[in-house]
Amino acid sequence: MDTDHIVETLRTAGFTVPREGVEEARSRSGARVLGRRITESGAEAMWRELLAARESTGFHPLLSPLSPAELVAGEPAEPDVFDDRAVTAPREIVAEITAAALEDCLSYAEDEAGEEEWRADFDAELLAEQISPVAETARVTDFRPGWLCLVETRDGWAVPGILPGYPYAPAWSHGPEGRPMLDSDHAAFLHTWHDRFGAELMYVADQVLILDVASPPQESPAVAETAIEQYAYCPDGNDTASWANRWTRSRTWKFLWD
């Protein structure tokens, strides 16, 4: 789809914007990224309109404080390293990282009691017993979209591979053998959550990622399993129980790497 058609699609979502009002950039892989400045008011509604049109446009909508030029200028966590299992077998990567996250946590335990506490945090059956019957309502307080962008892909989970470096997880070392987060790790987690829960990438900033989740898990075993994955993906500011009780059952999942 050419830029003129994209401009027309933007108009159907509530934009009256001349072609010169659309910024265009290309990622390292050659995918086009288009964007238009917006205000926070109505941003989510416009994102949903463009998400509904994704199959016809071939572009995934993305809210961000970053322009297309900034998004394509991100640096990969590990140059030329992308695990193709993020596309073909994402749950394998998620399982490996979850196991590595437990081993990392165990390394900080001072005694056997500490080790048992960590093992309990990663035990879905035990964690399920800590889940409150009523989920808390977590609030997203740092949602600041200055741009509505369109990334050339029909799969929102694929965006981290197209725009490497976003989001950035500076202190994360939960990969096998303590390696940092790869762009394919982001894609793998997003892919499996999309397949299981209809999670769609809505917002990306430097160290923030927000998913819109159509059918989040509600039953305790599935909530516990997913909360453990969420903690392995983003441990900052939460433990597995707080993920399960504050975010996992919500239709909005926010990840922040400090």
Side-chain angles (χ1 to χ4, degrees):
M1 180 172 285
D2 63 27
T3 303
D4 289 333
H5 286 147
I6 292 294
V7 169
E8 189 58 36
T9 301
L10 287 168
R11 286 175 178 160
T12 67
F15 289 106
T16 301
V17 52
R19 189 185 190 285
E20 56 269 22
V22 176
E23 179 179 308
E24 182 171 355
R26 283 194 181 268
S27 70
R28 289 177 173 82
S29 65
R32 296 162 67 202
V33 182
L34 298 95
R36 199 260 194 218
R37 288 189 179 275
I38 58 170
T39 61
E40 184 176 338
S41 176
E44 185 175 336
M46 288 182 283
W47 176 83
R48 293 186 187 282
E49 291 231 19
L50 289 167
L51 182 69
R54 180 176 60 188
E55 286 303 308
S56 60
T57 65
F59 284 76
H60 178 81
L62 182 66
L63 298 171
S64 181
L66 305 167
S67 70
E70 292 170 313
L71 286 170
V72 302
E75 292 294 329
E78 294 278 340
D80 302 319
V81 176
F82 188 92
D83 190 334
D84 288 336
R85 291 180 300 161
V87 179
T88 60
R91 294 199 75 168
E92 289 185 8
I93 295 177
V94 170
E96 288 176 1
I97 289 175
T98 302
L102 172 57
E103 291 304 313
D104 185 40
C105 291
L106 289 174
S107 69
Y108 293 98
E110 297 180 354
D111 51 30
E112 288 187 9
E115 288 187 5
E116 286 305 308
E117 288 181 10
W118 277 118
R119 292 189 190 280
D121 283 349
F122 280 78
D123 186 313
E125 186 173 342
L126 293 177
L127 179 59
E129 297 174 359
Q130 302 180 49
I131 296 175
S132 170
V134 179
E136 297 179 28
T137 303
R139 297 186 60 192
V140 176
T141 58
D142 54 358
F143 181 66
R144 298 290 183 272
W147 288 82
L148 174 60
C149 296
L150 293 162
V151 184
E152 193 172 16
T153 178
R154 286 183 170 87
D155 298 307
W157 56 261
V159 169
I162 297 170
L163 304 175
Y166 293 110
Y168 174 49
W172 190 93
S173 58
H174 276 176
E177 300 181 357
R179 66 161 174 75
M181 179 86 78
L182 303 178
D183 302 304
S184 50
D185 296 334
H186 288 294
F189 277 93
L190 270 56
H191 191 175
T192 184
W193 291 335
H194 173 268
D195 289 350
R196 291 150 63 199
F197 311 121
E200 293 285 3
L201 177 58
M202 180 169 66
Y203 177 89
V204 165
D206 285 321
Q207 294 171 211
V208 179
L209 182 149
I210 298 174
L211 300 178
D212 180 78
V213 188
S215 302
Q218 299 298 321
E219 299 299 322
S220 292
V223 172
E225 177 188 7
T226 307
I228 292 168
E229 294 172 356
Q230 290 172 314
Y231 177 79
Y233 181 52
C234 183
D236 297 0
N238 291 287
D239 57 20
T240 57
S242 59
W243 270 114
N245 286 311
R246 297 189 65 242
W247 291 101
T248 309
R249 288 171 283 181
S250 169
R251 294 194 59 173
T252 302
W253 293 356
K254 174 193 162 187
F255 302 91
L256 168 63
W257 292 269
D258 291 329

